[in-house]
Amino acid sequence: MSRLCTLLLFLLPWVAGILSGCGEKQVDSSRGPQAYPYQVTTTVGMITDIVGEVAGRHAVVKGIIAEGVDPHLYAATINDVKELRAADIIFYNGLNLEGKMGEVLGKLGRRKPVHAVAKGAVEVSGYALLDEEDYYDPHVWMDVRGWMSAVEVVRNSLQEFDPQHESDYSANAEGYLDTLKRLDAYAREVLGSIPENQRVLVTAHDAFGYMARAYGLEVRGIQGLSTEAKPGLRDIESLVEFLVERRIPAVFVESSVSRKSVEALMEGAHDKGHKVVVGGELFSDAMGGRGTYAGTYIGMIEHNVNTIARGLGGAVPEGGFREWMKSDR
Ligand code: ZN
């Protein structure tokens, strides 16, 4: 140890933290859990759920965007900002899903670990879907394989944040990923049972692009990737033409988006002599109620897969995914 270092340590112990090479390595108190369980704050339910699965007993996970709420239009409340400030680590989707929260998340990122899960997932997997204007499609959870990459991003981030419990995060993620792998196979089988000429999913906004690519569907949304812009009359008219021409039997509403535009579409088709029904309500950007099966990521995907298959003439196994898993596959 140099004489200068010795002197500084002796006279001014509080300076030691900013000097490297003097004595023992300083612990950076701004990183890592300060106590257990530590607090994780998340945005949408799809992320809250997978973080809870991987973190297990080591963390309390608080999601700020409730069921039925559209994240594209969501602005953080004063209470949300409190939860984000209280968090030890933050996970959000990114790719502009939480478009109105970008600034607050950016600011917090200078003070604590803040991870954009879907952005990380598409970077790792090369999964990204872009629209005609080269905007990233943020709805990565609609492809179970894509969300498996998100689980890996969460696992890696928690291991970096809390290396002491690295093996727990590995084990939690491994078990969960195994179930997701089977969920992916289930979705492939059930959606694959829809007659080929009816594999067309018409919804309120373009949330199902990843699902379409993964499981062989064609998708049309009345609104684009975000719900921020209002649909124009031309969008509705051209989709009405499409429904009539292709004899599409059903369209789908979304739990977090107004039904109005879908109803206009059905009326338009009806006026042209083609009957279209609501095939069911899908969870696009929000999950079902907290504490229910549809309030988990697995339950949300199963609900969507079964609803789409039933609405478009496919076959859903009796007992759904849970019974299907028990059979030897
Ligand atoms: Zn969306």
Side-chain angles (χ1 to χ4, degrees):
M1 197 180 279
S2 75
R3 188 173 288 182
L4 175 67
C5 279
T6 314
L7 192 68
L8 279 171
L9 280 176
F10 185 71
L11 293 173
L12 300 165
W14 52 271
V15 177
I18 54 168
L19 292 174
S20 57
C22 293
E24 280 184 17
K25 196 178 156 203
Q26 294 296 310
V27 175
D28 181 357
S29 59
S30 68
R31 291 186 62 84
Q34 304 298 297
Y36 291 96
Y38 53 89
Q39 183 179 328
V40 186
T41 303
T42 55
T43 56
V44 289
M46 295 74 82
I47 291 172
T48 313
D49 190 44
I50 62 171
V51 173
E53 290 285 348
V54 180
R57 66 190 166 87
H58 301 306
V60 172
V61 187
K62 295 187 178 179
I64 59 177
I65 305 183
E67 67 253 27
V69 174
D70 181 350
H72 297 289
L73 307 176
Y74 191 81
T77 64
I78 292 170
N79 225 14
D80 295 340
V81 173
K82 270 188 205 156
E83 290 293 1
L84 289 163
R85 286 209 181 121
D88 296 296
I89 178 168
I90 295 170
F91 290 95
Y92 71 110
N93 190 77
L95 304 177
N96 213 29
L97 179 77
E98 306 95 335
K100 296 193 189 305
M101 291 180 61
E103 202 184 317
V104 62
L105 290 166
K107 273 187 192 160
L108 286 160
R110 283 180 237 135
R111 278 187 266 156
K112 60 180 82 185
V114 176
H115 298 277
V117 170
K119 184 168 176 276
V122 296
E123 279 168 2
V124 170
S125 60
Y127 246 74
L129 263 182
L130 301 169
D131 73 357
E132 308 89 60
E133 282 155 26
D134 278 352
Y135 283 111
Y136 280 101
D137 184 338
H139 309 91
V140 180
W141 57 90
M142 289 297 180
D143 175 349
V144 180
R145 293 263 163 188
W147 217 229
M148 286 171 74
S149 298
V151 171
E152 286 165 3
V153 169
V154 170
R155 178 199 60 204
N156 297 347
S157 308
L158 289 179
Q159 284 176 331
E160 192 187 320
F161 175 68
D162 180 24
Q164 202 187 323
H165 297 107
E166 191 179 343
S167 58
D168 289 350
Y169 301 131
S170 276
N172 293 348
E174 201 181 305
Y176 188 56
L177 286 168
D178 187 52
T179 310
L180 292 189
K181 208 168 158 186
R182 286 190 276 173
L183 180 67
D184 178 63
Y186 175 81
R188 205 169 299 283
E189 184 179 306
V190 175
L191 294 173
S193 73
I194 301 169
E196 220 162 306
N197 62 343
Q198 294 199 24
R199 286 183 199 160
V200 186
L201 182 61
V202 179
T203 57
H205 90 297
D206 272 338
F208 296 86
Y210 288 96
M211 179 181 250
R213 183 179 64 179
Y215 307 111
L217 300 169
E218 191 180 334
V219 278
R220 296 291 171 101
I222 302 169
Q223 285 175 274
L225 290 178
S226 174
T227 52
E228 277 182 279
K230 290 277 162 269
L233 203 58
R234 279 230 324 268
D235 303 324
I236 304 260
E237 273 172 16
S238 70
L239 259 177
V240 166
E241 290 296 328
F242 178 77
L243 287 177
V244 175
E245 249 170 57
R246 297 279 297 266
R247 314 303 298 168
I248 311 284
V251 292
F252 296 85
V253 291
E254 300 170 33
S255 69
S256 54
V257 184
S258 157
R259 291 168 172 243
K260 268 190 190 151
S261 58
V262 173
E263 281 162 2
L265 201 62
M266 290 165 65
E267 266 172 43
H270 185 261
D271 289 347
K272 289 187 189 281
H274 174 57
K275 190 172 179 279
V276 182
V277 298
V278 173
E281 184 179 81
L282 303 179
F283 296 114
S284 54
D285 296 0
M287 309 199 300
R290 206 166 287 178
T292 68
Y293 179 50
T296 65
Y297 171 67
I298 291 173
M300 168 205 203
I301 293 293
E302 182 185 357
H303 168 89
N304 284 351
V305 165
N306 293 355
T307 305
I308 294 166
R310 285 195 191 106
L312 298 175
V316 176
E318 206 173 315
F321 176 54
R322 282 179 282 197
E323 285 301 315
W324 180 92
M325 262 209 301
K326 287 182 199 159
S327 58
D328 192 23
R329 290 179 198 263

